[in-house]
Amino acid sequence: MLPRVPLREARAAFRHGAQRRRYVSAEQLTIVREKQYHLSKFAEEVEKQASVVPSRRSVEEQLDFGRQVAKDRSLLVVSARRVQDEILVRLARAIRSFQNLPYIFGINPRIQDVYVKCWDWFVQLHEWEQQHGKVHDTVTEKKFTEHLLKVFEDHGNVMHCLRQGTAEVRELPSSDSVDFDYVDKFLTRFIMRRMSWRVLAESHLAYRNPKGPQFNGIFNLECRPLMIGHDAFSKAQYICESELGVAPDYVIKGDGAASFEYIDQHLQYVLLELMKNSMRATVNHHSEKEKSGKSGKLPKVVMRICHGDEITISLHDRGGGVPRHVAERIWSYGFTTVVESKPSTTNAYFPGMRGDSLDIAAMAGDKALAGWGFGLPLSRCYVEYLGGTISIQNMPGYGCDTILTFPKLNSGKCKEQFDFA
């Protein structure tokens, strides 16, 4: 087993042949064994880095630094050095968080895949530092940046592994013994940490290769909810029509000229997920009404943009709302009342389980209409990462109003929101 996994049961599961046959393939077990010796050499360094408290700057400070870099390219060395120092600390803390997971969840091969990836990324970055030292000039900055790109090339399927692993555990007969409140907290912390080191790394890459005049690092200085809303609605309609044969129309109201500084990929993901939910609910709810002879034209999904002290975006649908008895569980990872949208294949690790083999990066937006139970809790992570809020006003039998708020990022009060523990 990998170093410092404190679960006695987990270690025993890999020692005993019966458990090995049940949970992992021979090929995967070989890979784990090969990594065991290699990774164990870095356990002490992980503990050392994990004991350091990560530092976080306000978004205003990041934007100010981005403006300085645009004028003085030598500051790229400072940017790279910060990434080098901070990313190891955040990766180490992520690694340590995996070591206290409930047995059934922690032993899942998909979750183990993510755990191993975190180790791999840490080791690759640490070994580069051992060989080249700290970034100190333009030459080492260029080499470090090239290495950083290589290290994170395989980041795309992390969210898929987490979604698939969570779904597999939830479908196990023994899943009642799992503390999913703890799992939810773990997943939120890990996703926020991952977001933090990706923002850190991608900001440096964007300083080095600016996207355009309206960008400061990865922050779009003129992020337009109207444009992103139209794009998300059109994609959601296409997905809805592809799966259900029909999709409701939409309308965007309010301040169409509103813009603010934001990471537009985050807003794109959140709006697409919310719109997919609204459209699916609207079609399904009115299909039921059609069966009872009460149907009419599908009501539109309405998005409203308000620009005041903060940016507020509301999404209104008439999709029947969420039944009261499950409303509190919609923020739990992997919980879903929709199973038919998820492609079905036999799972090799847990015989008889269902899953799929799609490799979809979370930031790209899932092409499935529903079924994973990650859309809402993941959207909340993206919104809350920079101090925003998301809330749902549920009206069972009628629909839902979803309210998003985003603070002005240049206020000096907005910092990364993630658990340091």
Side-chain angles (χ1 to χ4, degrees), residues 51-246:
S51 66
V52 178
V53 178
S55 65
R56 51 183 169 186
R57 294 183 298 185
S58 70
V59 176
E60 184 180 40
E61 290 172 328
Q62 293 182 55
L63 294 174
D64 182 59
F65 182 75
R67 287 188 286 268
Q68 294 178 47
V69 173
K71 297 177 181 177
D72 183 0
R73 301 290 288 174
S74 66
L75 288 175
L76 286 171
V77 175
V78 177
S79 174
R81 176 64 179 269
R82 181 170 188 268
V83 174
Q84 185 181 27
D85 292 339
E86 277 293 308
I87 207 164
L88 286 175
V89 172
R90 301 182 189 201
L91 277 169
R93 290 192 165 223
I95 290 169
R96 193 166 63 178
S97 69
F98 275 91
Q99 297 166 355
N100 295 299
L101 284 172
Y103 159 62
I104 295 177
F105 191 80
I107 203 67
N108 178 272
R110 314 280 185 176
I111 305 304
Q112 286 286 310
D113 284 346
V114 179
Y115 180 47
V116 170
K117 280 182 181 293
C118 289
W119 270 100
D120 285 343
W121 297 327
F122 182 92
V123 168
Q124 290 180 62
L125 289 166
H126 177 68
E127 286 184 330
W128 188 94
E129 184 173 315
Q130 292 292 101
Q131 182 179 353
H132 300 278
K134 294 290 187 181
V135 174
H136 60 276
D137 57 21
T138 56
V139 175
T140 51
E141 182 275 323
K142 182 179 178 181
K143 289 181 179 179
F144 175 77
T145 302
E146 292 171 350
H147 183 67
L148 191 65
L149 278 168
K150 293 178 182 177
V151 169
F152 289 103
E153 278 179 351
D154 64 340
H155 242 252
N157 68 343
V158 167
M159 294 311 305
H160 171 72
C161 287
L162 291 177
R163 290 187 301 186
Q164 185 74 17
T166 303
E168 289 172 356
V169 173
R170 278 194 177 275
E171 292 182 27
L172 282 173
S174 56
S175 64
D176 290 344
S177 64
V178 178
D179 183 355
F180 279 105
D181 287 339
Y182 183 88
V183 170
D184 286 342
K185 291 176 183 177
F186 160 77
L187 287 171
T188 294
R189 285 196 298 266
F190 175 78
I191 289 168
M192 296 283 258
R193 285 186 181 123
R194 177 178 181 264
M195 212 177 298
S196 78
W197 74 61
R198 284 193 66 87
V199 167
L200 192 66
E202 290 174 11
S203 292
H204 172 67
L205 297 175
Y207 292 148
R208 210 171 197 285
N209 300 291
K211 296 181 179 181
Q214 71 184 63
F215 283 88
N216 182 327
I218 61 171
F219 289 93
N220 186 344
L221 303 178
E222 299 175 13
C223 181
R224 297 278 304 278
L226 177 67
M227 295 176 62
I228 294 176
H230 278 301
D231 182 63
F233 265 125
S234 64
K235 290 177 180 176
Q237 279 186 318
Y238 175 79
I239 296 171
C240 190
E241 288 174 354
S242 298
E243 293 203 13
L244 302 180
V246 65

